[in-house]
Amino acid sequence: MTIAVSPQALPALVLNADYRPLSYYPLSLWSWQDAIKAVFLDRVNIIAEYEHSVSSPSFSMRLPSVVCLKTYVQPSRNPAFTRFNVFLRDRFECQYCGAHDDLTFDHVIPRAHGGETTWENVVAACSPCNLRKGSKLPKQASMFPSQKPYQPTVQDLHNNGRLFPPNYLHDSWLDYLYWDTELQP
């Protein structure tokens, strides 16, 4: 699952005050208009710029390609339990057959058998597998998820988000997106 980013839109990568992206999936990007507004409101520092400029009658400025917040934004400790975050935890893959299309979610222990709608009981599933399993227990359906469902950390979701980079990454962003990977000699 790829997020479409238009290079012609000249978005700015937004980094937290610790120089890490606010999020990897979707990648924390602002429009060039929002980035310039934040510069004038003195909320960000410009780290890198595009070659393109914007001008008024009395002022000209190159568009920021990377900005860093001046104030650190504390990331949430526990990610929200949402359909999107379940899909991201499960890498946008059916936990029964590995399909990537027509995803929904499945209660491993069906609600009809007392299963709850929690991180530990919900997995991504394609519609055909979800219909095939129905309200049966995994053993009855002979269908077991490829990974046991669990409550992910924000770091787990960031790591999975890195597996799905947008279709476009500007060269000036690369030093900030995968800063914890091993450097090439």
Side-chain angles (χ1 to χ4, degrees), residues 25-26 78-90 92 104-105 117-119 122-124 150-152 157:
Y25 196 86
N78 297 312
F81 179 64
T82 64
R83 178 184 302 264
F84 179 83
N85 283 344
V86 169
F87 292 166
L88 184 56
R89 177 200 65 190
D90 294 346
F92 298 95
T104 182
F105 68 86
T117 306
T118 62
W119 282 112
V122 171
V123 295
Y150 66 96
Q151 180 171 348
L157 296 183

Side-chain angles (χ1 to χ4, degrees), residues 132-166:
R132 197 173 95 224
K133 182 173 172 285
S135 61
K136 299 177 195 151
L137 293 168
K139 195 171 191 172
Q140 293 170 322
S142 296
M143 294 176 70
F144 301 92
S146 58
Q147 75 174 0
K148 185 178 180 197
Y150 66 96
Q151 180 171 348
T153 63
V154 171
Q155 188 63 41
D156 291 334
L157 296 183
H158 277 309
N159 290 340
N160 285 356
R162 289 178 182 163
L163 301 173
F164 304 97

Side-chain angles (χ1 to χ4, degrees), residues 15-20 22 43 69-75:
L15 307 175
N16 208 340
D18 64 356
Y19 289 81
R20 295 184 197 183
L22 291 175
R43 294 183 180 155
L69 299 177
K70 288 187 173 186
T71 306
Y72 183 74
V73 174
Q74 184 70 40

Side-chain angles (χ1 to χ4, degrees), residues 47-109:
I47 307 301
E49 298 172 325
Y50 290 109
E51 294 297 321
H52 301 328
S53 297
V54 290
S55 301
S56 74
S58 61
F59 179 77
S60 182
M61 168 183 189
R62 286 177 50 182
L63 294 177
S65 64
V66 180
V67 295
C68 180
L69 299 177
K70 288 187 173 186
T71 306
Y72 183 74
V73 174
Q74 184 70 40
S76 106
R77 291 189 180 272
N78 297 312
F81 179 64
T82 64
R83 178 184 302 264
F84 179 83
N85 283 344
V86 169
F87 292 166
L88 184 56
R89 177 200 65 190
D90 294 346
R91 298 182 175 114
F92 298 95
E93 182 176 280
C94 174
Q95 293 300 291
Y96 299 112
C97 73
H100 294 278
D101 297 321
D102 200 15
L103 289 180
T104 182
F105 68 86
D106 178 61
H107 291 80
V108 177
I109 307 298

